[in-house]
Amino acid sequence: QVQLVESGGGLVQAGGSLRLSCAASRFSFNNYAMGWFRQAPGKEREIVAGIDWSGGTTNYIDSVKGRFTISRDNAKNTVYLQMNSLKPEDTAVYYCAARPGTKTWYALAEYRYWGQGTQVTVSS
């Protein structure tokens, strides 16, 4: 079955950095666009960043531009989210997800496969 497994979350102080990884298996990873989402306590899940099948096109929500970088290594079936200058408001469970296209990178409903999430907590 299709599997997406996130790792790299943890507790970090404000201003620090984390690198999240999402390892994919049992599907044609190279044919899918990937996204990172997050869900903070009491809030709805939101898009954070997206990347096309080749890694040539990336998108970010305004609140993370200049701080977060999404990338992928198709040889390793892995997508990454480098998070720098972390803020307490970045605290959330972070999810990776896959979809067979890039036209609507920001739409949660377009993503077909989901990981279980990894907790990121940023302290003041």
Side-chain angles (χ1 to χ4, degrees):
Q1 66 189 66
V2 172
Q3 186 174 38
L4 300 174
V5 180
E6 302 95 335
S7 62
L11 176 64
V12 64
Q13 292 183 317
S17 298
L18 287 172
R19 184 179 177 87
L20 306 184
S21 298
C22 175
S25 62
R26 301 187 180 93
F27 77 107
S28 299
F29 180 81
N30 294 2
N31 294 329
Y32 282 77
M34 301 293 296
W36 283 98
F37 292 76
R38 66 186 179 188
Q39 188 166 20
K43 294 186 177 294
E44 296 183 355
R45 193 170 299 185
E46 66 172 349
I47 186 68
V48 176
I51 189 166
D52 73 352
W53 69 271
S54 70
T57 302
T58 58
N59 297 99
Y60 304 89
I61 57 172
D62 288 343
S63 62
V64 308
K65 287 181 179 177
R67 300 190 298 121
F68 290 11
T69 302
I70 187 171
S71 62
R72 67 190 295 163
D73 185 342
N74 286 353
K76 295 184 176 181
N77 287 357
T78 302
V79 63
Y80 305 94
L81 186 68
Q82 178 67 46
M83 304 185 294
N84 298 326
S85 301
L86 282 162
K87 304 174 181 180
E89 52 262 44
D90 295 318
T91 295
V93 177
Y94 283 72
Y95 301 87
C96 65
R99 64 155 291 152
T102 60
K103 292 294 185 181
T104 319
W105 71 274
Y106 51 82
L108 184 150
E110 297 295 321
Y111 287 82
R112 181 174 177 85
Y113 303 118
W114 293 84
Q116 294 299 307
T118 185
Q119 177 70 50
V120 172
T121 302
V122 185
S123 62
S124 300

